[in-house]
Structure formats: structure tokens, C-alpha cells
Amino acid sequence: MIATVLWERELHQRGGASLFVLGPDCVVLHERHTRLVCLERADGTVRWDVPLGTWPRGIVLAGDRVLVLPQAPNLLSCIDLQTGASLWSTPTPRWTGNLAVHSDTVVIGGWRGYTPMGGLDLADGGVRWMTPSPVTSVRTLAWAGGVLTGSGDEAVLLDPADGSDLARWRLPDPLAGPDAKAFVPVDAERVVAVCENSSLVTFGTSVGRPARLGPFDPFRAVGYTRGSVWMLRSGRGFLAVDPTDGTPSWSVGTDRQVVVDPLPYADGLLVGDANGGIRQLGPDGRTVERCSLPGRRLDALAAAGDGGLFFAAKGTFGSFTFTSSPQRPTTSAASVGALSAGEPHRRTQKRAPKSS
């Protein structure tokens, strides 16, 4: 297969620092250190470009709205996804982190125990509830009819309407630190918690007591795809396990630094490395084909539900696709995995008018 870049945009900052979310027909991302832009997914043209602030702690799409929580200024903003117009904004305490949206409620706060947690009305930003004092929470997750939070060896499902407990679980291991992904949803009723000492714990609303899946060799990222929970092992390969009992499903080793998040593709997965290489894996984790995005230092790959593929690289963000490699006679099975490289087509975009 050959990877072809459909469009690409200069970020004027590291791709890995450009937090982004994929919408049904657009991409919203942070760039130029203090701007938030919305790009059309089809061709990368700018839908809107507005001032934001520095390094967002969270960007969440909620229907036709975008919720953004920058590090500075201390402000939570709600932006119209179609026009970029500010619908409302509300001041937040310094060091406010964590952002989750469930139904018509925005839940913020609790990062590292610096601030209270609270629920705000999605319509106008009005406060619905607020804890009386700062609380400590890992990264929150909208899941199973509530917002999942926790600290230490407890996980709590909050009612976003009033902040009360919907469910509470005692875990066999303490949750991992506040900056890592704490919860990986498996389905509507089950989640995997990332815990200390490279341990994973599974629990849910309709399953038995929380159960330990690990421990495993040290890993620095975790996610779920194709029926397996995967772990990025010190940046040098993936291990995937069954979320019910922790038995290995597949593994991928590499001598290159790989990017986080293997992507569903065809009946297998795509895995990228920092040098721009991309491998297509079969259901068993074996490499089927290889290609590359030449000249790009990859920080992240992402896939939309309809099959759209995107990359964040050193200084750029773009969309790409695959085409079949020309058929060549082969004399050995080794030639099946040969490296193919396609020269991308770069679109020259018109500079969007400055806005303030």
C-alpha cells in the first residue's frame, strides 16, 4: 500500500502539543500556541479561527458545541462548532483540570487536588453543583450514564446532574497518577482502570467485583480496540490482552519509537512510528503491509468512525489515505512485507484572515 497525504497544515508548534478532536465533518485543534481552529475534514480549509489561550487541558465536542479548558487564561469556554462564535465562558479557579461532558452537564475540576469539582449547565455555563472544598480526581470519563472519577483505590461514578454517587468500587490496586489516562471504556457496562505498578483492573456496572488483569511489564499508554486492551511498552511495541482475564491477544515488537493509539483499519490495525513508517497489522498482530509518510516525524495517528485517517507530525497536521501498491511478481513470502513509499501531494492553502 502507498500512503498519500490529502492535505496538510502548518501548526507553528509541535504536533504532539496540538490537542485535537475529530468531529463528523471537521477537526478542531490547538495551534500557534494560543489559537483554536476548526478545519473541514474534506480538504483542510479553515472553517473558523479564534483566540483561545495556552496548551488546553481538555477539548470536548458536545453536539454542535466545543468545550475548551486552557491552562491560561483561567476560563472555560463554550464555542459554536459551526461558526466559532463564543456561546459562553466562565472563570475557573487557577489550576483547574479535568473536563468531561455528559448529556447537558459539563463536569470540571479535581486535578491533583487543586480545586473543587463542579457541574455546569451546558446551555449557559451556570453552576449546578460544586464540592465545598478541593477534591482529588484522576482524569474523568463520561461513561455508563455518569462521569467516572476516583483516587487512591476507589472509583466513583458521579451523577452529573447533582454530583451524587451513582456507584462506587473498591479496587485491588491504587489508581495511576493524575496525568495519565485512568479509565479505558470497554463497553457500556465495563471499564478497565490503569493502576500503579503497571497493573490493570476491570470493573463495571453489571459485572462482579473488580478484578486484576496484570501486573504487566511497564507501559506508558493504554487503550482499547478490536476487542483487546493494548499497552504501549516503553514506546517500543504493543501488547494486547483480553479485557476479561488479561490473557495475551497479540503483540508487536519494534526497534523504533512508535506513536500512541493503534488504529482500526480493514480487519486489523495500523501502527505508526516516529520516523513516519506505518504498518498494517492483521487480526493476529502480524505485519501485512508497510508504507510511510516520507519526511514527517509522527507524533500521533487518529481515525474517524467513517474511516478518515489523520496525523500530527513535527509542526504539521494533516489527512491521509491509502492506495494499493502496483502489483509486482513475488518469489518469496518475504516480499509481501516490503516497504512502499509514496510521495505525498501537498496542498497549498490560502492563509485564513486574522481574527481577534
Side-chain angles (χ1 to χ4, degrees), residues 129-148:
W129 57 270
M130 188 72 64
T131 60
S133 58
V135 297
T136 298
S137 168
V138 295
R139 285 172 55 178
T140 50
L141 172 71
W143 171 77
V147 171
L148 193 58

Side-chain angles (χ1 to χ4, degrees), residues 19-346:
L19 194 63
F20 64 89
V21 290
L22 303 179
D25 59 356
C26 63
V27 180
V28 179
L29 73 158
H30 180 256
E31 65 172 51
R32 290 171 286 159
H33 305 283
T34 60
R35 309 293 294 187
L36 192 72
V37 300
C38 181
L39 308 178
E40 301 291 343
R41 272 182 42 185
D43 57 11
T45 56
V46 177
R47 179 183 295 182
W48 47 260
D49 179 343
V50 299
L52 171 69
T54 59
W55 315 123
R57 290 198 172 102
I59 302 177
V60 176
L61 295 185
D64 59 358
R65 300 177 176 220
V66 184
L67 281 298
V68 191
L69 186 65
Q71 292 189 27
N74 300 317
L75 202 68
L76 172 67
S77 296
C78 180
I79 298 169
D80 187 289
L81 182 60
Q82 294 302 317
T83 67
S86 175
L87 300 176
W88 54 262
S89 61
T90 185
T92 57
R94 190 183 184 193
W95 309 119
T96 295
N98 295 331
L99 172 64
V101 180
H102 185 281
S103 185
D104 58 355
T105 305
V106 184
V107 177
I108 60 172
W111 177 59
R112 295 187 175 183
Y114 291 145
T115 67
M117 290 188 71
L120 310 180
D121 193 316
L122 178 60
D124 58 12
V127 177
R128 289 186 165 178
W129 57 270
M130 188 72 64
T131 60
S133 58
V135 297
T136 298
S137 168
V138 295
R139 285 172 55 178
T140 50
L141 172 71
W143 171 77
V147 171
L148 193 58
T149 179
S151 65
D153 60 0
E154 279 197 331
V156 183
L157 186 65
L158 297 179
D159 186 335
D162 59 13
S164 61
D165 291 2
L166 294 174
R168 186 176 289 265
W169 296 268
R170 177 76 66 176
L171 306 179
D173 298 308
L175 289 163
D179 298 321
K181 180 187 291 186
F183 302 116
V184 178
V186 172
D187 52 40
E189 298 180 338
R190 185 172 39 159
V191 72
V192 168
V194 182
C195 297
E196 293 180 357
N197 300 319
S198 302
S199 171
L200 299 179
V201 172
T202 182
F203 67 95
T205 57
S206 63
V207 297
R209 297 175 60 183
R212 185 185 292 112
L213 298 181
F216 301 96
D217 291 337
F219 56 84
R220 67 179 183 89
V222 62
Y224 176 80
T225 190
R226 295 284 194 218
S228 296
V229 176
W230 56 261
M231 290 159 278
L232 179 57
R233 300 182 292 190
S234 301
R236 296 292 181 179
F238 292 99
L239 170 67
V241 300
D242 189 308
T244 60
D245 57 14
T247 56
S249 303
W250 51 266
S251 64
V252 178
T254 177
D255 58 355
R256 294 180 175 180
Q257 189 81 14
V258 296
V259 301
V260 178
D261 286 329
L263 306 181
Y265 182 76
D267 61 348
L269 300 168
L270 296 178
V271 171
D273 67 57
N275 293 332
I278 299 176
R279 284 193 284 174
Q280 179 186 351
L281 309 180
D284 58 358
R286 295 176 181 268
T287 298
V288 177
E289 288 192 84
R290 299 175 186 262
C291 64
S292 66
L293 292 169
R296 291 165 180 85
R297 297 285 297 175
L298 293 180
D299 289 312
L301 295 176
D306 59 5
L309 298 171
F310 303 86
F311 67 89
K314 183 179 180 181
T316 66
F317 181 91
S319 173
F320 69 102
T321 189
F322 293 118
T323 55
S324 299
S325 303
Q327 293 295 319
R328 297 179 180 178
T330 57
T331 57
S332 69
S335 62
V336 175
L339 178 68
S340 298
E343 287 299 325
H345 170 65
R346 289 179 178 263

